[in-house]
Amino acid sequence: EPVKYDEALFMTMRNPERLLFGLWLVLPAEPVGVAAATNDYFAIQVVDSVTGRGVPLVELRTVNKAAWWTDSNGIVAFNEPGLMDLEVFFYVRSPGYEYPEDMFRNRGLRLKPRHGGSAIIKLKRLNIAERLYRITGEGIYRDSVLVGHPVPLRQPLLDGRVMGQDTVIATPYRGRIYWFWGDTDRPSYPLGNFGASGATSELPGHGGLDPGFGVDLTYFVDESGFSKPMCRLPGPAAHWIQSLLTLPDAEGGERLVASVANHTHLGAAESWDLMVFNDDQAVFEPVQHWDVHEGHDSSHPFRARVGGLEYYYLYPNWRVKADLKSLHDVTNYEALTCVAGDGKVRGKETELDHDQAGRPLYRWKAGADRLYPDRVRDLIVAGKLKPEESWIDLHDIETGSRVQAGRGSVYWNDFRRRWVMLNSSTSAGEIWFAEADTPAGPWMYAWRVVTHGDYNFYNPTQHSFFDQDGGRLIYFEGTYSGSFSSARAQTPRYDYNQIMYRLALDDPRLALPVAVYRVRGTDTAIHLWSREQVEAGGAWERIEEVACFALPPTCHGSDLVAVYAVETNGTVLSLTPLSPNTHPLFIGLPLLERELGSTLDGAWEFRAFEPAGEELKFSLAFLLKGDAVQIDGLGQDIKGSGTFRDGNLTLTLKTKDGTFVIEGTLDKRTLAGSWRQEGASAKGAWSAAPVDSTPAERHSLALTILTEYHRLADGGKVYSTELLPPAGSAPNGQPLCRVWK
C-alpha cells in the first residue's frame, strides 16, 4: 500500500526550526516572553499617540490592496516576499482612530520593510473609549508570537479551539469569574456549538490578569478539546443565556443561576428555562420551564435594595426579589410600566395610566410586559406614547438629536456617584455612555464613546467586577461582527468575536448634564432641587417634573456660569453666592459664545497658493500672549512663532520642507496675505478662515435659556425654559444662563 504521512509533520522534519515552533504550539505557553518562530518578519506596531499602547484592529493596506490587521498588541508581522527591502506605502485605517492626511488626502506612510526590522506608527484616538484587546477567537496575539513580542496569555493563538463567539455574559462566582457566550465557531466545520459556551478566569489581584492587559480564560471543553455546550436541554434549538446571577440555596450555599431562551430563529423564542449550574459536571441543568416567547435580549443583572427588600434588576425596568423561590415563577417579575390594567401590551388596543397632569404614570407591576426599546417604539408609532414620555429617551449631547437606544447594561458607579449606562443604538457599531440618578432614569443625554465604521458592535456590557480606581476606570466589551451592518467585507480573525474597551470617567469629554427637579414642598412651595436634595428630603414622590438639565456643581471653567440657590418659601436662583463658602446648585453655559474669528485666538484653516496655482491646505491654532503668538501645529509637523500687532500677523514656520515666513492681516474675520520660503525663490499668497473650536455640545439644539419671571399674584419668582412665560407671571423675564431641555 502507498505510504501514508502527515504533510505538516513531513514539513517539520524537513525544517527543524518549524518542528521547534510546532512543539511550542502544543506545550503550555509562558504568560510573557514568547520566542519568535523566525526572524524573517518586519514588525510594525501601531500605537496610541498619547498612551503609546498598541492599538488592535488597525488595517494596513498596500497600494495593490493587500491587507494586514494588527493583533491585540497592535502588531503586524510583515513578510511579503516581493516587497522586502523596498519603500512601501501603507494606508492606515482603524475605526475610532485616525492617521493624518497628506496633501493628496491619503492617510498613510512609507516604510522600508526588512527582515528582523521594526517600525512604529502613531495614531490619534478619536473614540473617547480606548480599544484594548480581543478576548476570544483564533490568533489573538498571532503577529506578536511571530515577531517574538511578549504576550500576556497562556494560549495566545488558539484557546478552546474557539474561532468565533457571540455575546458575552459574566459574573463572579465562588472566587472566580464565570464567562458564558452564545453560538461558538470551531476550526473543523462552519457549524459549531449552539448550546452556550463557558470558561472561567481568576479575579484580578487573586491570580488573574489586570483587565487592562487581558483575560486569561480556561474553557470548559469536550473530549476533542473544543468548547462544550453548557446548557443541558433537549431539542434542536439554540440555547442563549439571557441573564446570569448568584443566589444562596436553601442550605446557604452560593448557586449560579441562568435564564435561557431557546430559539430556532432570530425572532420569538420557542420557550425559556430557568437553569442552575451543576458544579460537579460543569453544566447548567433546568429547574423550571416557561412557556415564554420573548426574544433574545441579553441581561446583565444588578442588585438593589428598595423599601427594605432586596431585588435583582435584570434590566433597569424589570426586577424580581432576590431569592430562588421568587425566580421560579415568571409572574413574580415586576415591570416598570405605564400600561394600564395588567400591564400587558396589546398593540393598538393598549391603554396607558396617566397622572392628574395627563402624563403617563409609571409604576411597578408584577407580571406586566417589559417595555424594552422596540416595544416602546411600537407604542409611539401607535400614537399611545410620545417619544419624550418614554422611560428612556436618549439624546446626543453634541447635537441634541434623539438616539434610538438598543441593548446595553446599567451599573452603579462610585466615581460618578450615579448609575451609568453603556448602550448600543440602532446605528450599527455605536456605543453610548449615559448616567442617571436612578436605574430607571431619567436617561436623557449621552456621549458616543465608540464607533466601528460600517461594522457592528452589539450586545455591549460593562464588567463592574473589573472597575478600577474607585470606578474611575470601567471596562466593557461587545461582539464585533459584520452581521446586521453595512460592512461589505469581514475583518479576518476579529469578525464574530469579543473586543474589550476601557473608559476613563474623569475624561472631560464625558461631562454630562444632570437633572434639576421641580419638587413640591410639604408647605406647597416649589423647589428646584438636585438628586442629593431630593434624597435628603425623602421627596422622590413629590417630584412634579424635571425642570431642566444642567452641569453638576463639580464642573469648573472660566466660561461656565455658576447658579446658586436660596431657599425662601421655595427656591430663588442667583448668579452670585451669598457667602464665599456657598456651593452652586448647578452650572450653566453663558448666554452667548465668543464671535468666531473676532480675535486671533483659536484654530484657523489655511490655504496657501503657489504662482503656478497649486494649493496646499493645513491648520494652525493660535494663542495670544500679549503681542507674541504661540502656535500649535495640531498634530502636523509644523513648528514656529510669531507676532500680532494692530491686526498685522507675522509668522515663521518650520516644516520638513524648510522655513517659511507668512505675513498678513486680520480683517472682517478673515486672515490673508503672502508667504515666502527662506533661502529659496518659492513664494505665493494665502488666506485662512477661522475654525469653530467651540465644543460641539455648545451648539446643541437641546440647549435652551433658563429665564427668571415674577409671579403677578405675589411677586415671587418662577423659572422656566419654555419660549412663553409661565401662566400668571409677568411677560418680561430675566435670562440667567443656558441649560439643557
Side-chain angles (χ1 to χ4, degrees):
E1 294 182 356
V3 176
K4 297 179 180 179
Y5 68 94
D6 185 303
E7 182 178 2
L9 179 59
F10 179 75
M11 291 300 296
T12 60
M13 293 171 67
R14 291 183 61 189
N15 298 276
E17 71 276 10
R18 296 183 67 171
L19 173 61
L20 292 174
F21 184 52
L23 289 173
W24 182 88
L25 288 175
V26 297
L27 292 173
E30 293 295 327
V32 296
V34 179
T38 74
N39 64 352
D40 290 340
Y41 294 95
F42 180 63
I44 307 172
Q45 186 173 31
V46 184
V47 301
D48 187 308
S49 61
V50 174
T51 67
R53 181 191 176 109
V55 180
L57 193 63
V58 180
E59 180 189 26
L60 302 182
R61 184 181 293 269
T62 54
V63 173
N64 66 342
K65 308 303 185 290
W68 292 258
W69 281 263
T70 58
D71 70 3
S72 286
N73 271 330
I75 290 176
V76 161
F78 185 83
N79 186 2
E80 187 67 18
L83 298 180
M84 304 306 286
D85 299 312
L86 297 177
E87 280 200 339
V88 179
F89 185 86
F90 291 91
Y91 294 96
V92 182
R93 185 177 71 92
S94 184
Y97 292 77
E98 183 178 78
Y99 193 80
E101 285 184 340
D102 63 17
M103 63 186 299
F104 298 105
R105 300 201 178 279
N106 293 311
R107 296 187 183 273
L109 77 167
R110 285 178 300 196
L111 298 174
K112 192 172 185 178
R114 64 186 188 280
H115 299 292
S118 63
I120 291 178
I121 301 173
K122 296 181 179 181
L123 285 189
K124 177 183 178 181
R125 175 157 52 93
L126 304 178
N127 283 338
I128 299 178
E130 180 184 7
R131 189 182 307 135
L132 297 181
Y133 47 81
R134 180 158 55 93
I135 306 169
T136 62
E138 180 268 336
I140 294 175
Y141 288 100
R142 169 190 179 273
D143 297 78
S144 297
V145 169
L146 290 176
V147 303
H149 193 283
V151 299
L153 303 183
R154 290 174 294 124
Q155 301 293 337
L157 300 177
L158 186 65
D159 195 2
R161 300 192 182 183
V162 169
M163 298 289 276
Q165 283 187 306
D166 189 12
T167 303
V168 70
I169 294 179
T171 191
Y173 172 62
R174 297 192 177 184
R176 296 173 66 85
I177 302 172
Y178 277 66
W179 305 81
F180 298 96
W181 299 270
D183 303 341
T184 300
D185 291 340
R186 70 176 80 205
S188 60
Y189 194 71
L191 298 181
N193 170 13
F194 298 95
S197 298
T200 65
S201 69
E202 303 290 347
L203 286 161
H206 299 275
L209 295 173
D210 183 309
F213 296 103
V215 179
D216 213 352
L217 298 169
T218 300
Y219 278 94
F220 297 105
V221 298
D222 59 20
E223 296 80 2
S224 73
F226 176 53
S227 180
K228 74 173 186 178
M230 302 303 299
C231 293
R232 184 174 287 174
L233 286 167
H239 309 301
W240 297 333
I241 295 177
Q242 297 290 106
S243 64
L244 195 67
L245 48 85
T246 60
L247 285 169
D249 58 18
E251 289 74 39
E254 187 181 26
R255 303 305 301 272
L256 185 62
V257 184
S259 58
V260 179
N262 307 304
H263 283 257
T264 56
H265 51 80
L266 289 176
E270 305 301 314
S271 61
W272 280 31
D273 283 276
L274 186 68
M275 307 187 75
V276 175
F277 193 67
N278 183 321
D279 292 271
D280 295 329
Q281 299 186 30
V283 292
F284 281 102
E285 296 176 332
V287 295
Q288 181 68 50
H289 185 73
W290 292 322
D291 185 26
V292 171
H293 305 285
E294 294 281 331
H296 170 62
D297 190 357
S298 295
S299 160
H300 306 285
F302 58 86
R303 295 175 78 114
R305 182 175 292 274
V306 181
L309 296 176
E310 192 82 13
Y311 284 90
Y312 254 121
Y313 284 68
L314 284 84
Y315 307 92
N317 63 339
W318 205 50
R319 70 186 187 187
V320 63
K321 291 178 183 176
D323 61 76
L324 271 174
K325 182 179 179 181
S326 295
L327 257 66
H328 277 67
D329 188 348
V330 74
T331 62
N332 290 328
Y333 292 70
E334 301 175 3
L336 182 65
T337 182
C338 58
V339 176
D342 59 5
K344 298 294 184 182
V345 177
R346 297 179 173 86
K348 294 182 179 180
E349 305 302 318
T350 304
E351 296 297 331
L352 305 185
D353 289 326
H354 293 89
D355 63 15
Q356 292 181 349
R359 296 170 294 205
L361 178 62
Y362 284 85
R363 291 179 288 191
W364 290 99
K365 291 185 179 182
D369 288 338
R370 181 171 69 90
L371 296 182
Y372 52 80
D374 281 347
R375 185 167 271 161
V376 169
R377 284 189 277 272
D378 288 342
L379 290 175
I380 293 171
V381 171
K384 300 295 180 178
L385 198 66
K386 296 177 182 178
E388 61 271 19
E389 295 173 337
S390 168
W391 71 275
I392 179 171
D393 185 29
L394 293 181
H395 289 70
D396 183 344
I397 186 65
E398 291 188 287
T399 66
S401 60
R402 185 167 273 114
V403 176
Q404 299 296 335
R407 295 171 179 168
S409 63
V410 170
Y411 289 99
W412 173 258
N413 183 267
D414 282 333
F415 181 79
R416 301 285 284 218
R417 301 303 300 167
R418 279 180 170 78
W419 297 87
V420 300
M421 171 188 288
L422 284 164
N423 202 282
S424 63
S425 74
T426 52
S427 295
E430 295 182 347
I431 302 299
W432 295 80
F433 170 85
E435 61 185 359
D437 292 331
T438 79
W443 298 110
M444 190 70 182
Y445 292 104
W447 276 105
R448 182 172 56 192
V449 295
V450 169
T451 60
H452 289 88
D454 58 0
Y455 234 76
N456 207 347
F457 190 72
Y458 59 73
N459 291 342
T461 179
Q462 302 171 60
H463 295 313
S464 59
F465 45 80
F466 280 161
D467 285 1
Q468 293 176 323
D469 198 10
R472 184 183 67 84
L473 297 176
I474 65 174
Y475 292 80
F476 67 94
E477 68 171 286
T479 304
Y480 178 79
S481 173
S483 300
F484 318 111
S485 77
S486 60
R488 288 179 286 182
Q490 295 176 321
T491 310
R493 296 185 178 86
Y494 281 92
D495 185 74
Y496 204 55
N497 273 301
Q498 307 298 305
I499 298 178
M500 184 75 83
Y501 283 86
R502 176 169 59 196
L503 189 62
L505 299 190
D506 60 345
D507 190 314
R509 292 174 292 177
L510 287 181
L512 282 171
V514 298
V516 178
Y517 299 97
R518 195 185 310 278
V519 182
R520 185 165 294 279
T522 54
D523 57 356
T524 72
I526 298 298
H527 302 269
L528 297 179
W529 280 356
S530 66
R531 184 273 309 276
E532 291 77 10
Q533 290 171 294
V534 172
E535 285 183 345
W540 286 109
E541 299 299 325
R542 290 187 276 117
I543 292 175
E544 294 193 340
E545 62 181 353
V546 177
C548 65
F549 283 80
L551 294 174
T554 51
C555 289
H556 301 283
S558 58
D559 60 343
L560 298 178
V561 179
V563 180
Y564 301 86
V566 179
E567 296 295 335
T568 55
N569 189 29
T571 301
V572 176
L573 300 180
S574 170
L575 300 185
T576 56
L578 293 180
S579 66
N581 297 323
T582 302
H583 296 289
L585 173 63
F586 59 82
I587 305 294
L589 299 182
L591 294 171
L592 294 174
E593 297 290 346
R594 177 177 63 87
E595 185 180 8
L596 192 62
S598 58
T599 69
L600 189 68
D601 285 331
W604 295 77
E605 180 73 27
F606 280 74
R607 301 172 66 195
F609 304 92
E610 295 184 353
E614 293 185 8
E615 178 183 350
L616 178 65
K617 292 183 178 181
F618 59 96
S619 298
L620 296 175
F622 299 133
L623 178 63
L624 276 178
K625 296 287 187 179
D627 290 343
V629 179
Q630 294 183 2
I631 299 174
D632 182 350
L634 299 176
Q636 304 157 111
D637 189 16
I638 302 175
K639 294 180 172 59
S641 60
T643 59
F644 183 68
R645 297 187 184 95
D646 301 323
N648 296 311
L649 175 68
T650 301
L651 302 175
T652 301
L653 303 179
K654 295 183 179 181
T655 75
K656 62 181 180 179
D657 297 318
T659 300
F660 299 85
V661 176
I662 292 179
E663 296 176 317
T665 58
L666 173 61
D667 181 36
K668 297 179 180 178
R669 297 187 292 280
T670 299
L671 281 169
S674 61
W675 64 269
R676 58 183 172 83
Q677 184 176 6
E678 288 188 347
S681 60
K683 61 182 180 179
W686 64 270
S687 65
V691 177
D692 190 357
S693 57
T694 306
E697 63 270 22
R698 296 289 185 95
H699 303 298
S700 172
L701 294 177
L703 285 168
T704 186
I705 295 176
L706 178 65
T707 303
E708 179 182 84
Y709 295 93
H710 289 274
R711 287 193 299 266
L712 294 173
D714 57 8
K717 295 181 179 180
V718 61
Y719 301 89
S720 176
T721 59
E722 300 297 328
L723 293 176
L724 298 176
S729 64
N732 297 321
Q734 175 64 43
L736 298 180
C737 63
R738 288 184 297 162
V739 293
W740 285 263
K741 298 176 184 177

